[in-house]
Amino acid sequence: QVQLVESGGGLVQAGGSLRLSCAVSGSIFSINRMAWYRQAPGKQRELVAEITRGGITNYGSPVRGRFTISRDSGGNTVYLQMNSLKPEDTAVYYCAAARVMYTDWGQGTQVTVSS
């Protein structure tokens, strides 16, 4: 079992930056991938970024070049640095952990970008 707690969301103007954090606890050794997803009102949840145990990253096309996923050396915290934010980035952002599939989720943190 893995517990995930997100923080760092808030209100920011377009063009600004935010850094989200995801505190990871529990069976950290079992995690093979970590990810950030987001869900905007009326839209499906979409992958924002993911990072493997080996450090390989993958980004959704809407955020590529603007967002960066990273983690601390102990794997206890995963970050999402978000730069050049746009109003369309407004969503609830969720942290997720996977052994094979993403089955552990945090409660989400709201990010609102004003124009």
Side-chain angles (χ1 to χ4, degrees):
Q1 192 78 12
V2 173
Q3 293 77 45
L4 307 170
V5 179
E6 303 97 333
S7 61
L11 174 64
V12 63
Q13 288 189 331
S17 298
L18 279 176
R19 188 175 82 156
L20 304 183
S21 299
C22 174
V24 186
S25 60
S27 303
I28 296 175
F29 64 91
S30 68
I31 299 172
N32 290 314
R33 288 177 294 139
M34 294 289 300
W36 288 95
Y37 279 76
R38 68 186 182 186
Q39 187 166 21
K43 296 189 177 181
Q44 288 189 327
R45 190 172 295 190
E46 65 174 352
L47 176 69
V48 175
E50 61 183 347
I51 185 166
T52 69
R53 180 193 294 269
I56 297 172
T57 58
N58 179 47
Y59 295 91
S61 54
V63 307
R64 196 169 294 130
R66 298 187 297 123
F67 291 11
T68 303
I69 189 170
S70 63
R71 62 181 182 212
D72 66 2
S73 58
N76 296 312
T77 307
V78 177
Y79 303 98
L80 184 69
Q81 178 66 44
M82 306 186 293
N83 298 329
S84 302
L85 283 161
K86 304 175 182 180
E88 51 263 43
D89 294 318
T90 294
V92 178
Y93 285 70
Y94 297 92
C95 181
R99 297 156 192 79
V100 178
M101 298 184 67
Y102 288 107
T103 55
D104 295 294
W105 296 84
Q107 82 288 350
T109 186
Q110 176 71 46
V111 172
T112 303
V113 184
S114 63
S115 57

